[in-house]
């Protein structure tokens, strides 16, 4: 497998630290509000990566954090704690907010067929680990205490900007959104490991520490959670592209300073979901959730297919017109699977080249669009039986996660009821398309009247539309080919 590594800016051969095993960390949500579909694009694509690694034979352990403390309104350690902001908005406690939105997040994930991680760790459950790591960073000179807070000293590093080179001016006050002056910092790029003072006095969650009562900074959480469950060497770290700087940059700085050796080998960043107005964002006050899509009549898996049709490293533009196109494609795909009549055993030899093509698509930096094309190739293949096709659809869907066999079975049950009967008793059974039903009915009536020229003309018209008609006693059955 080749995977694009944000740290090297190249596609690299994927070689895990321990052969056959993959340790994977995915940055989880800050649970102060509902996740919007832009957030969920990242988790969806991470889900595909994890499922493909499993499909390709790896033993994967995926860990996710839940940020329920320490994430301030600005990624630059300024502003109000997002959890406290959510609690004030809804007149609830921080822990009530955390539990409600954690449950809502995983409910949305379930609707999108995003697998529950092997380990889910709330940040508030790791306070002792943060104190242990910060203590060592202070003992070894990588951290310092100033103005009531503990900061990481980035000047101690040979190379701080891992993913991109930034100009010093990028961090100047007023140049980059959200950056404010912090007179306690020795260097502009230093970041908080532990707060004991902040710009607001009513921080809800505080713990004792060697530096006073306080709470952890956002960045230290992921490092400690990852090291606890996945050890000192991490294979893959995922997140949205906006996490690369400063969050992931700071994770690398503190983790490698603590461990004394390289920490994570492969960094996978998922591009934004954009709207006509730019990146979808909670801070703008208007965002689209899975529930919004459902209220508008969309199956959440239509959104999953919408995401699969684009590469994870390309910004994806969301419009309802684009989603309608994905809906039409999804319904047609389900219809084609429903039209299969699998009988007998599947032929592994016949299926092998199609399985290989699917693996090659996803093994090429997770090319999900090409993987979906490989699924269509199976459905139109002339050298596969319906049993082969159904078997391959089921296998591919272990990764694609579109519930195709289940939806197809439901559609077949629906189609069994979708019959049109003429006055003369001629019955047409199809896929619930009134226009096609009418054409097949006209063909049957023409044959009954021995008007074979008209019957043949209608048959040709149906064939041009991709419709296959089978005559049965008392009527006909049609399906899309």
């Amino acid at each position: 497998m080749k995977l694009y590594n944000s740290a090297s800016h190249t596609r690299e051969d994927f070689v895990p630290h321990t052969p056959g095993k993959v340790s994977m960390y995915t940055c989880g949500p800050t649970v102060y509000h509902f996740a919007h579909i832009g957030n969920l694009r990242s988790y969806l694509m991470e889900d595909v990566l994890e499922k493909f690694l499993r499909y390709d034979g790896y033993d994967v352990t995926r860990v996710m954090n839940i940020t329920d403390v320490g994430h301030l309104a600005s990624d630059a350690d300024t502003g109000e704690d997002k959890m406290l902001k959510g609690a004030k908005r809804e007149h609830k406690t921080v822990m009530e907010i955390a539990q409600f939105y954690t449950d809502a997040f995983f409910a949305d994930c379930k609707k999108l067929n995003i697998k529950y991680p092997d380990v889910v760790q709330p940040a508030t459950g790791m306070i002792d680990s943060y104190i242990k790591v910060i203590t060592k960073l202070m003992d070894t000179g990588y951290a310092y205490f100033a103005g009531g807070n503990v900061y990481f000293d980035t000047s101690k590093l040979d190379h701080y900007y891992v993913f991109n080179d930034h100009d010093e001016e990028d961090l100047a006050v007023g140049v980059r959104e959200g950056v404010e002056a912090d007179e306690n910092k020795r260097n502009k790029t230093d970041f908080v490991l532990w707060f004991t003072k902040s710009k607001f006095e009513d921080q809800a969650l505080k713990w004792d520490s060697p530096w006073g009562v306080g709470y952890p900074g956002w960045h230290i959480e992921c490092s400690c959670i990852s090291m606890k469950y996945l050890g000192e060497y991490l294979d893959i770290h995922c997140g949205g592209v906006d996490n690369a700087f400063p969050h992931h940059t700071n994770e690398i700085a503190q983790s490698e300073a603590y461990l004394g050796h390289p920490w994570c080998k492969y960094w996978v960043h998922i591009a934004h979901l954009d709207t006509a107005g730019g990146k979808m964002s909670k801070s703008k006050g208007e965002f689209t959730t899975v529930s919004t899509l459902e209220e508008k009549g969309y199956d959440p898996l239509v959104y999953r297919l919408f995401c699969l049709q684009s590469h994870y490293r390309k910004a994806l533009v969301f419009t309802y017109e684009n989603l309608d196109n994905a809906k039409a494609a999804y319904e047609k795909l389900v219809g084609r699977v429903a039209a299969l009549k699998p009988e007998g055993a599947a032929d592994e030899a016949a299926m092998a080249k199609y399985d290989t093509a699917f693996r090659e698509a996803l093994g090429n930096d997770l090319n999900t669009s090409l993987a979906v094309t490989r699924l269509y190739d199976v459905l139109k293949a002339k050298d596969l039986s319906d049993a082969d096709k159904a078997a391959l659809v089921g296998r591919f869907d272990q990764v694609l996660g579109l519930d195709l066999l289940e939806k197809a079975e439901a559609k077949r049950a629906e189609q069994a009821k979708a019959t049109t009967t003429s006055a003369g008793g001629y019955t047409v059974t199809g896929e619930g398309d009134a226009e096609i039903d009418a054409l097949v009915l006209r063909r049957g009536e023409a044959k009954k009247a021995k008007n074979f020229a008209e019957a043949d003309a209608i048959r040709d018209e149906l064939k041009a539309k991709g419709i296959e008609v089978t005559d049965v006693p008392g009527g006909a059955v049609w399906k899309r080919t």
Side-chain angles (χ1 to χ4, degrees):
M1 181 181 184
K2 287 188 178 293
L3 201 57
Y4 184 86
N5 188 353
S6 298
S8 66
H9 302 285
T10 59
R11 285 191 311 153
E12 300 180 13
D13 289 330
F14 176 66
V15 182
H17 185 264
T18 302
K21 295 184 180 294
V22 176
S23 58
M24 181 175 177
Y25 187 88
T26 53
C27 277
T30 301
V31 284
Y32 74 107
H33 214 321
F34 292 109
H36 60 63
I37 59 173
N39 302 140
L40 289 162
R41 183 195 184 193
S42 292
Y43 299 111
L44 197 155
M45 300 311 295
E46 292 161 0
D47 177 69
V48 174
L49 174 58
E50 177 191 359
K51 287 174 176 173
F52 176 64
L53 289 167
R54 292 180 187 275
Y55 187 85
D56 213 30
Y58 289 101
D59 178 9
V60 182
T61 302
R62 180 164 70 98
V63 174
M64 178 188 286
N65 69 301
I66 297 292
T67 297
D68 53 1
V69 68
H71 191 177
L72 304 192
S74 164
D75 291 350
D77 296 327
T78 59
E80 190 173 31
D81 186 307
K82 290 186 176 185
M83 294 303 302
L84 184 60
K85 182 179 178 181
K88 287 180 177 179
R89 181 187 66 239
E90 300 185 22
H91 306 290
K92 297 178 180 177
T93 68
V94 169
M95 286 294 94
E96 286 172 341
I97 288 288
Q99 189 61 59
F100 179 83
Y101 287 113
T102 297
D103 292 344
F105 171 75
F106 284 115
D108 285 344
C109 287
K110 187 174 182 180
K111 291 173 183 177
L112 289 167
N113 274 349
I114 297 171
K115 177 184 172 292
Y116 194 85
D118 300 291
V119 176
V120 174
Q121 175 64 61
T124 49
M126 294 280 293
I127 302 301
D128 289 346
S129 294
Y130 311 145
I131 292 173
K132 174 186 173 183
V133 170
I134 295 169
T135 298
K136 181 176 178 181
L137 291 174
M138 291 194 74
D139 290 345
T140 53
Y142 282 102
Y144 59 91
F145 184 81
N149 301 322
V150 180
Y151 294 86
F152 186 92
D153 188 347
T154 56
S155 69
K156 302 295 184 181
L157 303 175
D158 292 331
H159 184 55
Y160 171 66
Y161 294 113
V162 175
F163 301 108
N164 287 294
D165 287 329
H166 292 260
D167 293 329
E168 183 86 356
E169 290 303 309
D170 287 347
L171 288 168
V173 176
V175 174
R176 191 167 72 84
E177 182 182 357
V179 176
E180 299 177 22
D182 185 341
E183 295 177 356
N184 297 318
K185 292 183 179 182
R186 295 176 181 172
N187 314 286
K188 289 180 180 179
T189 51
D190 291 355
F191 55 92
V192 178
L193 297 169
W194 187 269
F195 290 96
T196 60
K197 292 183 179 180
S198 64
K199 293 184 178 181
F200 47 97
E201 298 178 358
D202 53 352
Q203 172 66 17
L205 302 177
K206 298 178 182 178
W207 294 267
D208 287 327
S209 80
W211 318 285
V213 175
Y215 55 97
W218 177 38
H219 313 297
I220 195 66
E221 299 171 4
C222 288
S223 291
C224 291
I225 292 170
S226 171
M227 287 188 283
K228 175 179 178 178
Y229 293 104
L230 297 171
E232 292 190 2
Y233 293 93
L234 179 61
D235 292 313
I236 301 174
H237 196 310
C238 301
V241 67
D242 52 331
N243 288 146
F245 182 83
H247 185 44
H248 291 164
T249 303
N250 292 347
E251 280 188 57
I252 293 170
Q254 65 201 9
S255 298
E256 296 191 352
Y258 174 77
L259 294 170
H261 60 68
W263 172 49
C264 179
K265 189 171 182 181
Y266 303 94
W267 290 84
V268 176
H269 290 110
I270 293 85
H272 291 144
L273 181 77
D274 291 335
T275 65
K279 173 195 168 188
M280 189 172 288
S281 170
K282 293 190 187 75
S283 62
K284 295 179 181 178
E286 295 183 5
F287 53 90
T288 303
T289 64
V290 171
S291 295
T292 308
L293 299 183
E294 290 181 305
E295 289 164 6
K296 291 180 178 292
Y298 296 96
D299 186 324
L301 295 184
V302 167
Y303 178 66
R304 185 173 177 108
L305 178 61
F306 173 69
C307 291
L308 293 176
Q309 290 173 324
S310 178
H311 196 270
Y312 76 90
R313 286 194 292 111
K314 292 183 178 179
L316 181 58
V317 178
F318 175 82
T319 66
Y320 281 104
E321 181 181 0
N322 290 341
L323 194 63
D324 284 337
N325 292 334
K327 180 179 179 180
Y330 184 62
E331 290 174 350
K332 184 175 181 181
L333 187 56
V334 170
R336 293 183 70 168
V337 177
L340 298 175
K341 292 182 171 55
E343 297 176 358
D347 183 345
E348 293 291 340
M351 295 190 294
K353 70 176 183 180
Y354 293 95
D355 181 71
T356 297
F358 180 74
R359 291 173 188 268
E360 288 176 348
L362 289 172
N364 183 14
D365 193 29
L366 214 65
N367 191 334
T368 52
S369 177
L370 185 57
V372 172
T373 298
R374 295 293 177 251
L375 177 63
Y376 282 107
D377 291 343
V378 165
L379 291 171
K380 66 186 180 183
K382 302 298 185 184
D383 57 342
L384 293 174
S385 68
D386 278 8
D388 299 335
K389 293 179 181 180
L392 284 168
V393 168
R395 292 179 189 182
F396 293 2
D397 213 24
Q398 293 175 32
V399 181
L400 300 179
L402 296 171
D403 280 356
L404 293 173
L405 294 180
E406 295 87 343
K407 298 282 187 181
E409 183 59 38
K411 188 169 185 67
R412 277 192 288 269
E414 177 187 320
Q415 290 169 358
K417 304 172 185 176
T419 61
T420 302
T421 305
S422 69
Y426 187 84
T427 300
V428 175
T429 302
E431 298 180 10
D433 188 318
E435 180 185 354
I436 303 300
D437 287 347
L439 283 171
V440 176
L441 194 58
R442 276 179 49 205
R443 174 180 172 273
E445 290 170 345
K447 288 184 68 177
K448 187 175 181 180
K450 300 190 184 302
N451 187 347
F452 298 114
E454 182 181 354
D456 288 346
I458 295 172
R459 179 200 62 200
D460 292 342
E461 182 181 352
L462 289 164
K463 187 175 181 180
K465 292 177 179 290
I467 305 299
E468 177 184 298
V469 180
T470 303
D471 292 312
V472 297
V477 176
W478 65 265
K479 69 176 182 178
R480 287 184 171 85
T481 57

